[in-house]
Amino acid sequence: MTPYAWTWIAIVAAGLLAWLIKLAGHVVPERVVENPRVHRIAAYVTVALLISLAAVQTFTSDAALVVDARVVAIAVAAILLWRRAPFIVVVAASAAVAAGLRALGWG
Amino acid sequence: MARPVLSAARRQAVAVSIATGAYGLSFGALSVAAGLDLWQTMALSLLVFSGGSQFAFVGVLGAGGTAAAAVATSTFLGIRNGFYGVALAEVLRPLRGARLAWGAQVTIDESTAVSLAQPHDDLAERRAGFWWAGVGVFALWNAITIVGALLGQSLGDPATWGLDAAAGAAFLGLVWPRLGSRRAQAVAGIAAVVALALTPLLPAGVPILVAALVGVAAGWRAPAHAEEVPE
């Protein structure tokens, strides 16, 4: 099978799994998921996954650690988030910073 | 003052739908930048319909990860939606058949937040908040995803436009509201270091899944001080 076909299979699988998890929450008896440990683990796994995705997206290229325009861009994003800027502004500003630095010939 | 046409829950739902729908633009553009086509990008928004999971899916594929790693990361990020269903059950039950199927699909951060932000004793407002925000975000998120993907297609090399940097910023924006407690900040710091340290050693996508174990370890024991666990 081609990589394109595999991507389609992955999309359908991810969609089905996402829906089944959502559905499960509505139909399982409450006591099954009341366990505070399960709840805490789910919450911290979300934090760990999202920050890891941010880190890998920002500091790596083709399995190598790299420092380039993306690092400045995410620093700007962090400052904007700290200043409570809306999500879309944060994303757009970080793209603009990276694009600007590259236009100037760095990173 | 004239009485507003929409109730408080409905007005909040509309505002949240517009704000959330708007960043469907960044998802559409980033998905195309990661190498997916327009139809695949649309299918992700329709079928997965959970921002964090969708960004993760295209992020892992874009970094050269396998389809399996993309599905795993996306699915782990979707687990919190299961807990939202539990919290919403007393508001929405009884849900059956098509309403259950559709209600499950629109059980996300935003619909849960708007619903549970309404007064505890006002069941009608809580239900309205869930359905208006869920359906509103679904409609706008999917529509604006298409706009973003078309924009992304016409841009050429994504790095020229800083779209690779925008993807990192998007993940940071999604995690930011969850970093309120000391333990969450520690989890974030350690997980980021683990993911980066393993990137040269393991196939793309796998370091992120290993870093998720930091979250498991952190959640295993209850905090000594009753601090809030992030949702």
Side-chain angles (χ1 to χ4, degrees):
Chain A
M1 265 203 306
T2 63
Y4 184 77
W6 274 115
T7 301
W8 268 114
I9 290 169
I11 288 167
V12 173
L16 194 62
L17 287 167
W19 181 75
L20 285 172
I21 289 169
K22 291 169 176 172
L23 184 70
H26 287 277
V27 297
V28 296
E30 196 162 344
R31 59 188 160 73
V32 177
V33 274
E34 246 179 5
N35 186 334
R37 171 173 291 163
V38 174
H39 200 95
R40 284 196 305 272
I41 288 176
Y44 289 121
V45 163
T46 301
V47 170
L49 284 172
L50 288 172
I51 199 76
S52 304
L53 286 159
V56 169
Q57 183 69 44
T58 304
F59 293 97
T60 72
S61 281
D62 300 329
L65 297 181
V66 171
V67 172
D68 62 17
R70 290 171 295 172
V71 178
V72 182
I74 206 160
V76 170
I79 292 167
L80 287 171
L81 286 164
W82 176 58
R83 302 301 303 174
R84 298 178 183 276
F87 184 92
I88 190 77
V89 172
V90 172
V91 172
S94 62
V97 167
L101 287 172
R102 284 171 182 152
L104 295 172
W106 187 75
Chain B
M1 222 171 84
R3 215 163 64 92
V5 180
L6 295 177
S7 71
R10 292 175 173 86
R11 274 181 281 131
Q12 281 176 28
V14 170
V16 165
S17 299
I18 294 169
T20 308
Y23 78 80
L25 196 72
S26 50
F27 171 71
L30 293 173
S31 176
V32 169
L36 284 80
D37 69 14
L38 173 65
W39 300 107
Q40 292 173 329
T41 301
M42 287 168 62
L44 274 175
S45 279
L46 280 168
L47 300 177
V48 177
F49 188 53
S50 191
S53 293
Q54 293 178 227
F55 279 112
F57 188 99
V58 302
V60 170
L61 283 188
T66 62
V71 173
T73 311
S74 155
T75 302
F76 283 127
L77 272 172
I79 288 174
R80 68 181 189 284
N81 293 324
F83 289 92
Y84 294 160
V86 177
L88 288 165
E90 60 171 336
V91 177
L92 299 174
R93 273 178 191 171
L95 271 185
R96 287 193 195 85
R99 278 179 78 81
L100 174 60
W102 176 230
Q105 181 66 346
V106 299
T107 299
I108 52 168
D109 294 336
E110 291 79 11
S111 55
T112 306
V114 173
S115 175
L116 300 184
Q118 307 312 315
H120 206 276
D121 53 0
D122 196 341
L123 203 60
E125 276 285 87
R126 291 194 147 209
R127 285 186 179 178
F130 172 78
W131 287 108
W132 277 63
V135 175
V137 172
F138 188 84
L140 289 177
W141 176 258
N142 279 288
I144 299 174
T145 290
I146 300 174
V147 179
L150 292 173
L151 264 178
Q153 280 181 337
S154 62
L155 289 179
D157 181 12
T160 309
W161 299 92
L163 287 183
D164 51 344
F171 288 121
L172 189 66
L174 290 171
V175 77
W176 198 269
R178 303 169 200 277
L179 296 178
S181 71
R182 279 289 170 83
R183 191 181 289 209
Q185 291 160 10
V187 167
I190 296 167
V193 170
V194 168
L196 289 178
L198 294 177
T199 292
L201 309 174
L202 297 173
V206 178
I208 289 158
L209 294 172
V210 175
L213 295 176
V214 175
V216 176
W220 196 260
R221 294 188 54 174
H225 307 286
E227 56 178 345
E228 214 174 316
V229 176
E231 270 303 330

